[in-house]
Amino acid sequence: MDKFSDMAMFVSIVKHQGLAAAGRDLGLSPATMTARLQALEERYGVKLLNRSTRHVSLTDSGELYHKACIEILDNVSEAENLIQNGVKEVKGSLKIVAPKDIGKQYILPILSEFCKRYPDVVPYLYLDDHISNIAESGMDIVIRYGELADSSLISRRLSPSRRVLCASPEYLAKHGTPLKPQDLVNHDCLAMLRSNEELKTWHFQEKDKKNAITVVPKRFSDDGEVIRYWALEGVGIALKSVLDVQADINNLRLVTILNGYMKNFNTSMSVSSADLNVVYISKKYQPKRIRLFLDFLFERFSSMTKI
């Protein structure tokens, strides 16, 4: 027998909690089921099931094999459905939340292209910087900077990123360019609000030396897009993810300053804390439309972002 048939047989044994019941489901005799299971265990040199006359239970190796079998069988089934039914089988809601700047600049065009390919998918795009509990939010996909602490979720890096200090050429011409972090206390700064906390202590690192500067903000907002707008207006200096302002930098609408320092809103100063990540529930429970969109998102995003 081929490996695929053995996988289907093994999943059936676990599902029916016995060889006899699984054999009836598959149309195979108890003797055939026993022989095939023994051959399967001999092939891999491990015991997959603990068996008694009335009960079977998975060994550690059996549990690993069972999970792998389910995933492979599900993938094969989906591939067959996609070939037979095409895009008709890809339908339903797709709920995504992303920071406003990233959502509008990157996610929106990718999502629009995906929905043209799969017109029966109904997109919900929420622009929000504050989603932290994906299960309670009802979102399928959360796009955010940094990672979530919930270990039951999958977090994958969508793009590397870093924090940059930036201002318009007009602001710098009028107020001068800071040459060291301490100079920021004499400049107009634009600060984020997070859960009513004023993020006005900015952390810097040059090689092994760390420094924290508390700025005197000219304006506050809990919306990163508003901070970017004010920076473009020439109101002050902003601490932003480079992804949010990359197009502005490329087109000389904004200029980065203090480039020799690593920058962040917290003391961890880890580079990965500024990376853009995609967070979602385990692949085992994902509908087809979500898996397809994730593949599409990573493919498109890699060609759209050049840092």
Side-chain angles (χ1 to χ4, degrees):
M1 288 289 178
D2 62 81
K3 292 181 180 179
F4 185 79
S5 297
D6 285 339
M7 290 180 182
M9 177 199 70
F10 190 76
V11 169
S12 183
I13 292 172
V14 176
K15 176 182 177 182
H16 291 91
Q17 287 295 298
L19 275 69
R24 287 192 294 271
D25 181 56
L26 297 173
L28 299 173
S29 68
T32 300
M33 293 290 293
T34 300
R36 286 185 56 183
L37 180 59
Q38 288 176 347
L40 180 62
E41 291 179 324
E42 289 174 2
R43 179 194 304 161
Y44 296 115
V46 295
K47 189 175 183 180
L48 299 173
L49 289 174
N50 295 310
R51 301 188 293 277
S52 67
T53 55
R54 296 184 179 181
H55 182 70
V56 298
S57 63
L58 290 166
T59 64
D60 290 343
S61 296
E63 186 172 354
L64 292 173
Y65 182 67
H66 180 248
K67 289 180 179 179
C69 288
I70 289 176
E71 184 169 350
I72 291 170
L73 292 172
D74 285 347
N75 288 340
V76 170
S77 178
E78 286 194 4
E80 290 175 341
N81 286 334
L82 190 59
I83 292 171
Q84 293 170 357
N85 300 301
V87 299
K88 293 181 181 179
E89 289 296 312
V90 183
K91 57 185 178 181
S93 64
L94 179 60
K95 296 183 178 181
I96 304 166
V97 63
K100 286 190 177 181
D101 276 358
I102 290 296
K104 289 182 178 180
Q105 293 187 64
Y106 298 100
I107 307 304
L108 178 58
I110 293 173
L111 183 59
S112 295
E113 185 181 355
F114 180 80
C115 290
K116 288 178 182 178
R117 180 175 296 189
Y118 302 106
D120 291 329
V121 171
V122 180
Y124 292 71
L125 180 57
Y126 298 85
L127 301 178
D128 191 339
D129 294 322
H130 308 300
I131 293 292
S132 60
N133 191 316
I134 184 172
E136 292 182 1
S137 70
M139 296 296 110
D140 298 311
I141 296 170
V142 172
I143 298 169
R144 55 165 286 147
Y145 291 107
E147 297 185 355
L148 294 178
D150 192 339
S151 61
S152 68
L153 304 174
I154 305 298
S155 180
R156 292 174 59 193
R157 190 175 75 171
L158 183 58
S159 175
S161 188
R162 65 185 186 277
R163 306 279 183 196
V164 295
L165 278 175
C166 57
S168 70
E170 294 77 14
Y171 174 89
L172 296 176
K174 183 177 180 180
H175 298 277
T177 300
L179 300 178
K180 57 185 182 297
Q182 290 82 355
D183 294 342
L184 291 171
V185 298
N186 298 315
H187 279 268
D188 297 333
C189 295
L190 309 170
M192 286 289 297
L193 295 169
R194 181 181 297 160
S195 301
N196 293 322
E197 178 189 1
E198 299 178 354
L199 302 183
K200 58 185 180 181
T201 299
W202 295 351
H203 297 267
F204 298 84
Q205 181 173 331
E206 185 181 24
K207 297 181 180 179
D208 295 330
K209 184 179 179 181
K210 293 184 178 182
N211 196 5
I213 302 297
T214 299
V215 300
V216 181
K218 181 80 170 180
R219 299 183 185 183
F220 291 92
S221 178
D222 66 347
D223 187 332
E225 188 178 25
V226 172
I227 298 293
R228 171 174 167 261
Y229 178 84
W230 284 337
L232 289 168
E233 275 195 317
V235 174
I237 297 172
L239 179 56
K240 293 287 293 175
S241 164
V242 70
L243 288 173
D244 290 345
V245 293
Q246 188 67 66
D248 301 317
I249 295 169
N250 293 344
N251 290 288
L252 305 180
R253 295 188 293 265
L254 290 176
V255 177
T256 60
I257 58 178
L258 297 178
N259 294 319
Y261 297 84
M262 187 190 303
K263 313 160 193 74
N264 216 328
F265 289 118
N266 54 52
T267 58
S268 73
M269 300 305 295
S270 65
V271 175
S272 63
S273 69
D275 288 346
L276 188 67
N277 293 286
V278 179
V279 183
Y280 51 91
I281 296 173
S282 173
K283 184 177 179 182
K284 179 180 178 181
Y285 304 104
Q286 285 177 359
K288 182 192 304 182
R289 61 186 179 277
I290 297 176
R291 288 202 288 272
L292 288 174
F293 179 74
L294 285 170
D295 291 342
F296 193 82
L297 175 66
F298 278 91
E299 177 187 343
R300 290 294 187 272
F301 209 90
S302 64
S303 63
M304 289 175 64
T305 56
K306 304 293 183 184
I307 299 177

